[in-house]
Amino acid sequence: MVAVAVLGYGTVGSGVVKVMETNHDSILAKTGVDIQVKYVLDLREFPGDPVQKKLVHDYDVILNDPEVRIVVETMGGLNPAYPFTKRALEAGKSACTSNKELVARHGTELLEIAKAHQVSYLFEASCGGGIPIIRPMRTSLCSDELDEITGIVNGTTNYVLKKMMDEGSEFDDVLHEAQEKGYAERNPEADVEGHDACRKLAILSSLAYGKRVDFSDIYTEGISKITSAEVRYAKELGMAIRLLAHSRKEGEHVLAMVAPFLVQKNDPLYLVNGVFNAIFVHGTMLGDAMFYGQGAGKEATASAVVADVIEEAQTLGRSVMSEWSSEKQELQPVAETRKQFFIRVKGDKNEREDVESVFGAVSVVDAELPGEYGFITPVMSEADYQACAAKLGGQLLGMIRIRG
């Protein structure tokens, strides 16, 4: 029997307990491992819930119990998740988590501690919720050299953008509805401003390219500035707006960015709707592979966490390799990257000489909005776009990049 302690009995933590107890016999039959939840740590009481019998309020009870071999951190945030995880690993207990903030900020250190103590630190659920992506990257794809990752990795923003596209609604109205339905947090900043996607991209890129990618270095834009006007133009173009997390390795250089993009109909990411996520990885031998599924949700995320628990239970006494170098990966300046841009401007499409004098020949897009029109630029660098946009001054109303 392998005893497990779960830290936090919120949405994910309660889901983890449910999966391990409901599927106990199935897990045992398929893996040969008898996994039992011995403790659940939480400050609250849960009268009437069977978990009450396993509830503890003092972390040292878990830390000092030699029967507990695996600690599942589902508390979220950094404090006390970080010190609790660090102490568990130093005590010779494996740990796993769905906490992308913790992994993005302290993953390098925690992986090194786990390796030094011959235990494992796994975080499958931190990047794609229920989508298996990290395990395939470090096992099935380990024979290949990965050089590109592109994905929709945040269900909240994807839900909001899809609703805006379907209904022509404004961002604030759809976000409020998403909060009422439980698809968005009360404080949605991490999601809608791209920070959540940025952390996930940092983790995936670190694993793919072998060096530590610092999330604070990744150029990040969210979706809070997308309006119904951009949606009108996207429909006119036959495209969809998606918040994409993208990184690419070229030689020793890595580009990484998170931003809204216009996606064409023949792109598989065009069809990723609602709270679903999809992640493309490109290998030099494999080519493209896409991982698709529910990127969030209690049961989906808990299922991924329990998969880590099972792997750790099967490999007690050794450290499962899931790491990257502590050497920092320097990122290529976004200003050097090249692409097309869709731009909204004030004015009359028939009097666009000033725009073409700045950007050259452009393709006009008319969504029949009064006092404005849109256009698509030639392929140009971000630096050149910024220089041209500055010349438009107050005429510029908005911009979205186009995925090539």
Side-chain angles (χ1 to χ4, degrees), residues 81-94:
Y82 166 58
F84 280 8
T85 301
K86 183 176 180 179
R87 291 174 66 193
L89 296 171
E90 290 172 339
K93 304 179 190 295
S94 289

Side-chain angles (χ1 to χ4, degrees), residues 48-122:
D49 189 319
V51 79
Q52 190 71 28
K53 297 177 181 178
K54 301 177 180 182
L55 197 65
V56 295
H57 305 300
D58 183 357
Y59 183 53
D60 285 340
V61 172
I62 294 168
L63 206 63
N64 296 327
D65 187 337
E67 287 190 356
V68 175
R69 304 297 300 275
I70 299 170
V71 172
V72 181
E73 185 273 302
T74 64
M75 308 174 83
L78 297 177
N79 191 23
Y82 166 58
F84 280 8
T85 301
K86 183 176 180 179
R87 291 174 66 193
L89 296 171
E90 290 172 339
K93 304 179 190 295
S94 289
C96 59
T97 186
S98 59
N99 188 342
K100 82 279 296 182
E101 183 179 5
L102 176 60
V103 179
R105 190 176 293 274
H106 295 293
T108 305
E109 176 193 4
L110 295 173
L111 286 166
E112 290 176 346
I113 293 172
K115 187 176 181 180
H117 288 82
Q118 287 298 292
V119 293
S120 299
Y121 182 53
L122 300 181

Side-chain angles (χ1 to χ4, degrees), residues 20-41:
M20 285 198 282
E21 294 186 344
T22 302
N23 295 343
H24 172 269
D25 293 346
S26 173
I27 292 170
L28 176 59
K30 287 186 286 188
T31 67
V33 180
D34 181 10
I35 300 172
Q36 302 279 352
V37 178
K38 186 171 183 179
Y39 300 112
V40 174
L41 178 75

Side-chain angles (χ1 to χ4, degrees), residues 66-378:
E67 287 190 356
V68 175
R69 304 297 300 275
I70 299 170
V71 172
V72 181
E73 185 273 302
T74 64
M75 308 174 83
L78 297 177
N79 191 23
Y82 166 58
F84 280 8
T85 301
K86 183 176 180 179
R87 291 174 66 193
L89 296 171
E90 290 172 339
K93 304 179 190 295
S94 289
C96 59
T97 186
S98 59
N99 188 342
K100 82 279 296 182
E101 183 179 5
L102 176 60
V103 179
R105 190 176 293 274
H106 295 293
T108 305
E109 176 193 4
L110 295 173
L111 286 166
E112 290 176 346
I113 293 172
K115 187 176 181 180
H117 288 82
Q118 287 298 292
V119 293
S120 299
Y121 182 53
L122 300 181
F123 38 87
E124 178 63 67
S126 67
C127 290
I131 305 172
I133 177 63
I134 291 175
R135 186 169 288 101
M137 285 177 64
R138 65 176 175 81
T139 57
S140 306
L141 301 178
C142 66
S143 63
D144 207 346
E145 184 174 345
L146 302 181
D147 58 10
E148 189 168 0
I149 297 167
T150 303
I152 296 169
V153 296
N154 184 274
T156 298
T157 52
N158 207 50
Y159 173 85
V160 169
L161 289 171
K162 180 61 167 61
K163 291 285 284 186
M164 290 178 70
M165 291 289 295
D166 287 347
E167 300 173 0
S169 304
E170 294 294 350
F171 170 80
D172 288 339
D173 296 331
V174 177
L175 177 61
H176 180 68
E177 180 185 338
Q179 289 172 314
E180 289 184 334
K181 291 185 175 181
Y183 294 147
E185 300 288 344
R186 187 180 299 274
N187 179 359
E189 181 179 352
D191 292 319
V192 301
E193 298 302 342
H195 306 314
D196 175 82
C198 172
R199 290 166 183 148
K200 293 173 181 177
L201 181 63
I203 296 167
L204 293 171
S205 300
S206 298
L207 281 169
Y209 312 136
K211 294 182 182 178
R212 176 176 61 88
V213 174
D214 190 328
F215 69 91
S216 64
D217 291 339
I218 296 176
Y219 178 87
T220 302
E221 289 181 17
I223 67 167
S224 59
K225 295 180 181 179
I226 301 295
T227 69
S228 60
E230 276 83 17
V231 168
R232 287 271 296 272
Y233 284 107
K235 289 181 177 179
E236 184 67 27
L237 288 164
M239 298 184 187
I241 304 171
R242 298 285 185 262
L243 182 71
L244 299 186
H246 172 73
S247 71
R248 182 178 69 251
K249 184 178 182 182
E250 295 179 352
E252 295 301 311
H253 302 287
V254 170
L255 161 74
M257 71 181 302
V258 173
F261 277 78
L262 283 165
V263 176
Q264 302 183 56
K265 276 188 176 180
N266 61 357
D267 191 318
L269 294 176
Y270 179 94
L271 298 173
V272 180
N273 295 318
V275 295
F276 279 79
N277 287 185
I279 303 170
F280 271 105
V281 296
H282 182 273
T284 55
M285 298 298 170
L286 169 71
D288 282 326
M290 186 174 87
F291 299 81
Y292 172 83
Q294 287 202 56
K298 177 177 178 176
E299 285 80 11
T301 303
S303 177
V305 173
V306 175
D308 282 346
V309 173
I310 293 169
E311 184 171 7
E312 290 178 341
Q314 291 177 316
T315 56
L316 291 174
R318 63 185 179 89
S319 181
V320 174
M321 294 296 289
S322 178
E323 62 179 318
W324 51 81
S325 167
S326 59
E327 181 183 354
K328 184 176 179 180
Q329 174 68 62
E330 297 299 327
L331 299 183
Q332 177 186 358
V334 170
E336 298 174 5
T337 62
R338 297 176 61 81
K339 59 187 70 69
Q340 287 184 291
F341 299 81
F342 166 77
I343 299 172
R344 288 174 56 214
V345 291
K346 296 177 183 178
D348 186 334
K349 66 180 180 179
N350 297 314
E351 300 175 358
R352 58 179 185 274
E353 294 83 1
D354 51 348
V355 164
E356 292 192 327
S357 69
V358 173
F359 284 93
V362 299
S363 300
V364 172
V365 185
D366 185 5
E368 298 183 350
L369 291 169
E372 67 170 83
Y373 65 96
F375 63 90
I376 296 175
T377 71

